[in-house]
Amino acid sequence: MLPKDRPRATSDPAAPTVTTSPPRPVSVPQCPPSMRLPSAVRIVEVGARDGLQNEPRLVDTRVKVQLIHDLVDAGLRSVEVTGFVSPKWVPQLKDASDVMSAVQKKNGVTYPVLVPNIKGFDAALAAGAEEIAVFAAATETFSHKNVNCSIQKSLDRFRAVITAAQAHDIKIRGYVSCVVGCPYEGHVAPEAVADVAFKLYEMGCYEISLGDTIGVGNPKSIVQMIDAVLRRGIPVSALAIHCHDTRGAALANVLAAMSLGLSVVDSSVAGLGGCPFAPGAAGNLATEDLIYMLQGMGIDIGDVNLEKVIGIGHRICQYLGRKTSSRVSQATICTVDAPESIRHSTL
Ligand SMILES: CC(C)(COP(=O)([O-])OP(=O)([O-])OC[C@H]1O[C@@H](n2cnc3c(N)ncnc32)[C@H](O)[C@@H]1OP(=O)([O-])[O-])[C@@H](O)C(=O)NCCC(=O)NCCSC(=O)C[C@@](C)(O)CC(=O)[O-]
């Protein structure tokens, strides 16, 4: 209100009445509430599976095994190895048994593998898997495109897989794809995600990874979706976030998820990846970028060596003949002449 328009407190009967209310206490500007972020985060590295499954050129089995060994050597403690899926559907992973048998497992590291049905479970078991991941979708069309059946049918298959896995003391992780958007159906209702996530959790998945498969989420839609999942009854400790970086929002989305208490984050070295049945989906959030952010914020991610992960990303990209998607990695190349502290460490 401009001064000339301000109501005048005079005895002029034409003047607007000014009601005087008791003085209000001076309000001190509040600092924005600080985000209640978890003090520790577990990174689930999915580069060897999600990262490579969409590569057009067949990757040599030895290269995959070396990649897995290197990632573990760099300090990552959950490294997804491969998928026991139909080779007709995903030819890149047809060497799943060979990769799994060649991996030299280390104590304290988990090596989950994707399993779509009992056939895949039997093969994973024979290859020595100790943790599997089943994968459902929040939309019918994506479910058909990815696993050739309805959501309900896929859950029925997973029930059989989970029962068999439990009989062998094998841990089961669950994925839900298309948690905010679907390449075929568009917007996805948070409640639809919550339904599928809860069914997987109820069946026995110890952790549910919520996948923004095509990277259309933003911090607001991610929070709304997770909120619906939490309200459905899954504890936050049983949730993980899996963001593809198609539109550059993956890191922001991870931080939004963490602000709700999520402390497990999937990522892929060099940002490799994408689902073959999700057209337009780019790679995952780059592990290098995630490490840089979390270490810089003082969040405990274990003894993970960023420099080593950057090196692994460069090597696998060189092999694949592609450019890394990791911004941290790109920045490291740009600043080769800069002081060591700027090149490699978090500021
Ligand atoms: C589910 C099926 C098998 C159904 O596929 P289908 O064609 O309906 O299966 P089927 O039972 O009719 O079998 C067809 C053929 O595949 C064989 N077969 C059947 N099962 C297996 C198996 N497990 N391992 C090896 N072979 C198998 C089976 O033996 C048969 O061989 P044939 O008799 O014709 O010679 C197929 O659709 C499939 O394998 N889909 C997997 C797709 C996939 O891997 N997608 C990528 C992973 S999901 C993802 O990336 C998203 C995620 C997890 O990262 C999170 C996110 O970002 O959202």
Side-chain angles (χ1 to χ4, degrees), residues 49-50 53 84-90 114 116-117 119-120 135 146-148 157 175-178 211 213 242 244 275-277:
R49 191 278 303 172
D50 201 348
Q53 69 186 8
F84 287 83
V85 297
S86 169
K88 291 185 176 151
W89 284 65
V90 186
L114 243 58
N117 52 18
K119 188 177 170 91
F135 49 107
N146 199 33
V147 290
N148 206 23
R157 284 179 189 166
Y175 280 104
V176 182
S177 289
C178 300
T213 314
H242 176 112
H244 286 256
C275 177
F277 309 102

Side-chain angles (χ1 to χ4, degrees), residues 202-219:
E202 219 182 11
M203 275 188 218
C205 292
Y206 77 94
E207 185 170 281
I208 309 296
S209 176
L210 301 164
D212 180 11
T213 314
I214 53 169
V216 285
N218 58 54

Side-chain angles (χ1 to χ4, degrees), residues 123-136:
L125 181 68
E130 288 165 359
E131 177 167 334
I132 60 165
V134 294
F135 49 107

Side-chain angles (χ1 to χ4, degrees), residues 23-280:
R24 278 193 287 170
V26 179
S27 67
V28 179
Q30 296 289 304
C31 293
S34 59
M35 287 189 287
R36 272 167 292 156
L37 296 173
S39 57
V41 162
R42 178 163 59 86
I43 297 177
V44 179
E45 166 61 48
V46 297
R49 191 278 303 172
D50 201 348
L52 298 181
Q53 69 186 8
N54 207 18
E55 279 298 319
R57 178 186 137 192
L58 279 185
V59 177
D60 193 291
T61 304
R62 285 165 306 178
V63 172
K64 295 178 182 176
V65 174
Q66 187 64 51
L67 174 65
I68 293 157
H69 287 163
D70 288 348
L71 290 164
V72 172
D73 179 58
L76 291 155
R77 289 293 165 262
S78 297
V79 179
E80 202 173 65
V81 171
T82 185
F84 287 83
V85 297
S86 169
K88 291 185 176 151
W89 284 65
V90 186
Q92 185 62 259
L93 302 187
K94 69 179 180 190
D95 59 356
S97 294
D98 296 336
V99 174
M100 194 61 194
S101 327
V103 167
Q104 287 169 12
K105 293 187 192 154
K106 271 192 173 177
N107 282 339
V109 181
T110 56
Y111 298 88
V113 296
L114 243 58
V115 163
N117 52 18
I118 276 289
K119 188 177 170 91
F121 174 75
D122 289 341
L125 181 68
E130 288 165 359
E131 177 167 334
I132 60 165
V134 294
F135 49 107
T139 68
E140 288 296 342
T141 314
F142 190 80
S143 183
H144 279 278
K145 298 277 184 190
N146 199 33
V147 290
N148 206 23
C149 66
S150 67
I151 297 171
Q152 188 53 53
K153 183 88 200 272
S154 75
L155 294 173
D156 293 343
R157 284 179 189 166
F158 296 148
R159 190 177 292 283
V161 168
I162 289 169
T163 305
Q166 284 168 335
H168 288 88
D169 244 353
I170 288 176
K171 284 179 81 180
I172 310 117
R173 195 171 197 243
Y175 280 104
V176 182
S177 289
C178 300
V179 295
V180 278
C182 169
Y184 309 102
E185 295 186 20
H187 172 73
V188 175
E191 292 69 28
V193 179
D195 271 357
V196 177
F198 188 72
K199 282 175 184 159
L200 288 174
Y201 180 67
E202 219 182 11
M203 275 188 218
C205 292
Y206 77 94
E207 185 170 281
I208 309 296
S209 176
L210 301 164
D212 180 11
T213 314
I214 53 169
V216 285
N218 58 54
K220 187 174 174 186
S221 56
I222 290 285
V223 162
Q224 283 170 342
M225 178 274 299
I226 294 172
D227 188 50
V229 173
L230 292 172
R231 274 189 283 111
R232 194 74 171 75
I234 306 181
V236 74
S237 56
L239 294 178
I241 188 82
H242 176 112
C243 292
H244 286 256
D245 206 17
T246 320
R247 290 164 183 78
L251 210 47
N253 292 343
V254 163
L255 197 59
M258 285 171 57
S259 73
L260 293 182
L262 264 81
S263 61
V264 183
V265 182
D266 299 357
S267 64
S268 164
V269 65
L272 300 176
C275 177
F277 309 102

